[in-house]
Amino acid sequence: ARFFEYARFHGPLALFGTRHRRDWVMGQCEEFSRAGYALLASLGWEARYVLDFTDHVWIEVKLPHLETGTIGWVHADPSEGVLDSPLMYENGWGKQLTMIFAFTPWNVEHVTQTYTANYPETVLRRGIPENLLHDVVQAANKRLQYELPISKWGYATFSSKNRSLEEVSLWSHFQAN
């Protein structure tokens, strides 16, 4: 077995450049999610970064849901190449989830309920009462209102509202040669 030294890459160009230098070994979930977020935002999609406190990150993209047609945030995991499978971490990976947050430059949202089939168990595991967590998220969002730019960037001229789930599966089109 060869020794492999893992490094963190900052920015999508550095990450994509690994295909020549490291035989397509591009990184871990954080790098894939950064690249996926950057790619989607640059193409006009509304996207946000999702952090699971049990050590995983992915993104969500605003799309119409296939079954209901209502526009909302859809789970997208670029490191796994998976779309709209929010229970995969708990059911498939066996994770004991605690807290999951979604971030945009203007907002933090507690989204754990989207990613678990048994929310009360996550509340017990995390050790922070619901009302205290709500207050902390609300305080963070209030602070963001005063510290970040008023105008949006990345998807200022486009919206995800008229796009489909199939259109966002961009990473399925990139294959190693």
Side-chain angles (χ1 to χ4, degrees):
R2 295 182 341 193
F3 173 75
F4 178 76
E5 183 178 333
Y6 179 77
R8 292 279 183 195
F9 295 99
H10 302 285
L13 294 179
L15 181 61
F16 292 138
T18 60
R19 71 185 187 120
H20 300 293
R21 295 188 305 276
R22 297 174 59 202
D23 297 326
W24 286 93
V25 176
M26 294 175 60
Q28 293 181 342
C29 57
E30 182 179 346
E31 285 78 18
F32 281 100
S33 294
R34 282 183 184 180
Y37 177 90
L39 181 62
L40 290 170
S42 70
L43 293 173
W45 297 91
E46 292 179 63
R48 64 185 183 179
Y49 189 82
V50 181
L51 170 65
D52 162 27
F53 273 49
T54 60
D55 194 32
H56 191 57
V57 295
W58 58 90
I59 58 177
E60 292 178 335
V61 61
K62 197 173 259 189
L63 294 169
H65 284 273
L66 290 176
E67 292 152 10
T68 64
T70 59
I71 296 171
W73 292 106
V74 176
H75 163 256
D77 190 328
S79 64
E80 297 295 320
V82 174
L83 286 168
D84 202 16
S85 187
L87 298 179
M88 68 181 269
Y89 310 110
E90 188 175 65
N91 294 341
W93 294 12
K95 282 187 154 242
Q96 298 292 305
L97 301 171
T98 57
M99 292 185 287
I100 302 172
F101 296 95
F103 301 89
T104 69
W106 308 273
N107 178 272
V108 176
E109 186 178 342
H110 177 234
V111 296
T112 306
Q113 273 189 297
T114 302
Y115 294 93
T116 183
N118 192 341
Y119 184 70
E121 281 187 20
T122 68
V123 174
L124 292 174
R125 282 193 294 268
R126 75 174 181 229
I128 298 171
E130 193 75 13
N131 61 337
L132 178 57
L133 181 59
H134 177 268
D135 291 347
V136 169
V137 171
Q138 191 173 23
N141 283 318
K142 186 174 183 176
R143 187 167 177 176
L144 284 172
Q145 285 180 332
Y146 299 106
E147 293 185 7
L148 291 173
I150 294 171
S151 63
K152 293 187 176 187
W153 53 272
Y155 46 84
T157 58
F158 297 102
S159 172
S160 294
K161 67 183 176 184
N162 296 322
R163 301 198 178 182
S164 69
L165 186 62
E166 289 80 23
E167 287 180 274
V168 79
S169 60
L170 297 171
W171 44 82
S172 67
H173 301 290
F174 295 101
Q175 299 292 322
N177 291 340

